[in-house]
Amino acid sequence: MSTYLILTRLEPTAVSDPSELKTIAATVKAKIKERCPGVHWKDSYATLGQFDVIDIVEGDDPKEVERAAMIIRSYGHGSTETLLATPWDEFLAAM
């Protein structure tokens, strides 16, 4: 199973009150669970800087991960960047 990082920037107009993020997060989680059963959520982090949220997911099908990113993008009112992540030891072993 491959690991992916989904980096999200929320639009400035995504919410009028930060507490609305709880509702958006619940909606996104439910949609991804329904439409992307092969995507397994590992963790999520709120960050300061260029991205607002970093989600760590695993999946065998890159198309399902793409669909999950598009769900985040559409329901989360933001833009995403998705990166394939290789564990450092595996990366070094391939060199």
Side-chain angles (χ1 to χ4, degrees), residues 2-90:
S2 297
T3 300
Y4 296 86
L5 308 177
I6 303 175
L7 314 173
T8 303
R9 268 185 227 104
L10 300 173
E11 297 293 329
T13 58
V15 296
S16 58
D17 183 317
S19 65
E20 294 173 32
L21 290 171
K22 291 178 185 177
T23 303
I24 291 171
T27 300
V28 167
K29 182 178 180 178
K31 290 292 180 186
I32 290 173
K33 187 173 184 177
E34 171 190 328
R35 298 197 53 215
C36 310
V39 173
H40 304 283
W41 227 262
K42 299 304 285 179
D43 220 335
S44 296
Y45 294 90
T47 60
L48 300 173
Q50 184 176 357
F51 298 98
D52 299 304
V53 180
I54 297 175
D55 296 305
I56 302 169
V57 302
E58 290 182 339
D60 288 324
D61 183 357
K63 296 295 181 196
E64 261 196 309
V65 175
E66 289 172 357
R67 187 178 311 121
M70 293 307 293
I71 290 169
I72 292 170
R73 189 179 281 217
S74 61
Y75 287 93
H77 308 287
S79 60
T80 61
E81 184 174 336
T82 304
L83 306 172
L84 175 62
T86 303
W88 188 247
D89 291 341
E90 288 179 28

